[in-house]
Amino acid sequence: LPLDERLAQRIIDGDKNGLDTDLDEALANGKRPLDIINDHLLEGMKVVGDRFGSGQMQLPFVLQSAEAMKFAVAHLEPHMDKADAADKGTIVLATVRGDVHDIGKNLVDIILSNNGYTVVNLGIKQPINAILDAAEEHSADVIGMSGLLVKSTVIMKDNLAEMMARSMHTRWPVLLGGAALTRAYVEDDLREMFEGGQVHYARDAFEGLDLMNKVMT
Ligand code: B1M
């Protein structure tokens, strides 16, 4: 296979063997790390998601693909451009309660960290209490929640309701992302209920960075 297709195929196959050499070859060809992730690795992950969704691929193989993806991102990370700007602000970032998906959240962490933000990454399955405690402890400017399951979109709504109940909605703008969310759900439904607070939808890590830049100015 040509290099581009081989990279996607290695994610689909969950094959770490030779993945580092392929990534190095792509870098040596002048391809930027984030373009490698977006153009090839995430293409592979999309196929994995489709096959899993249609029952053609079983969970242990999805896990192997996820591990190959993580390995690839870790390999590329040192090659990414880093802004040497001073600290632009702090975000507490978490995958919501009951949800283990963290590849997207960790990409958001990398992109924001490389662009001058301090990211307090709490990990997966985080209840709202832990998120709010961390935001308080780290004097966060923004709270970011990720979730990929449909039920996570309901949990995000509950989390916003909890922030309102505690009058904390005016304190932290909230950034939401993850495959099960839609822009309309966040910008219409959630925004309407989160009255007096700010809630934003980020389709991907780059929109997350744009929104952080907007919120922080
Ligand atoms: Co899961 N899984 N999974 N899974 N998995 C999905 C999400 C699913 C859509 C697959 C499918 O059916 N086609 C489906 C959800 C269906 C639904 O809810 N209706 C699903 C399911 C069902 C499950 C289990 C329930 C399966 C089971 O146990 N029977 C289980 C869930 C367990 C749980 O959470 N309690 C499960 C488990 C797993 C693995 C552990 C095997 C693995 C995760 C490993 C890991 O993350 N460490 C996994 C994977 C890999 C997937 C798919 C195939 C790929 C997800 C991924 O990493 N994508 C996924 C299919 C899909 O998404 N279509 C699927 C790449 C990643 C970069 O994208 O996270 O969307 P994403 O992030 C994007 C944007 O969304 C955005 O930026 C990123 C790109 O720049 N973004 C943000 C994300 N968070 C953001 C936050 C922001 C801003 C932007 O600001 C705060």
Side-chain angles (χ1 to χ4, degrees):
L1 287 178
L3 180 60
D4 295 1
E5 288 172 36
R6 206 159 70 228
L7 283 166
Q9 194 61 46
R10 286 202 194 279
I11 298 299
I12 298 168
D13 296 341
D15 177 14
K16 285 193 237 174
N17 288 327
L19 182 53
D20 47 354
T21 354
D22 283 351
L23 292 168
D24 289 340
E25 191 181 331
L27 290 169
N29 291 345
K31 191 107 184 155
R32 292 169 56 225
L34 289 174
D35 292 335
I36 299 175
I37 293 177
N38 283 325
D39 299 347
H40 311 307
L41 305 178
L42 288 183
E43 280 304 307
M45 207 38 143
K46 195 170 165 296
V47 175
V48 171
D50 292 345
R51 290 193 186 165
F52 181 47
S54 65
Q56 286 168 270
M57 194 169 173
Q58 300 304 311
L59 200 62
F61 298 98
V62 180
L63 196 53
Q64 278 181 30
S65 295
E67 275 166 13
M69 184 75 199
K70 287 188 167 193
F71 172 86
V73 172
H75 189 81
L76 292 171
E77 216 257 355
H79 300 277
M80 290 181 192
D81 298 333
K82 290 178 183 61
D84 42 17
D87 187 20
K88 294 205 274 180
T90 299
I91 180 169
V92 162
L93 193 61
T95 300
V96 297
R97 177 165 63 84
D99 195 325
V100 303
H101 297 89
D102 67 353
I103 295 174
K105 168 183 67 63
N106 292 341
L107 271 180
V108 173
D109 179 348
I110 289 172
I111 307 276
L112 293 180
S113 303
N114 285 346
N115 284 281
Y117 290 100
T118 300
V119 179
V120 181
N121 188 336
L122 300 180
I124 58 172
K125 298 207 247 178
Q126 291 297 312
I128 185 63
N129 281 343
I131 297 173
L132 295 174
D133 286 353
E136 193 102 57
E137 185 191 335
H138 297 275
S139 307
D141 301 293
V142 176
I143 288 177
M145 299 185 221
S146 176
L148 266 69
L149 302 171
V150 169
K151 75 170 187 205
S152 299
T153 64
V154 180
I155 295 200
M156 287 176 186
K157 186 176 189 176
D158 294 346
N159 288 351
L160 295 180
E162 182 65 25
M163 286 177 74
M164 290 197 75
R166 296 196 206 174
S167 300
M168 285 177 157
H169 57 299
T170 49
R171 217 149 134 211
W172 293 290
V174 179
L175 196 58
L176 300 177
L181 286 171
T182 62
R183 188 173 296 282
Y185 177 68
V186 178
E187 294 183 354
D188 300 337
D189 302 5
L190 297 187
R191 221 169 247 181
E192 191 182 322
M193 66 150 300
F194 204 54
E195 214 192 321
Q198 276 190 59
V199 58
H200 302 283
Y201 169 73
R203 191 193 58 238
D204 57 27
F206 297 103
E207 193 176 359
L209 175 61
D210 282 350
L211 286 165
M212 274 303 279
N213 289 337
K214 278 195 193 115
V215 166
M216 294 306 300
T217 50

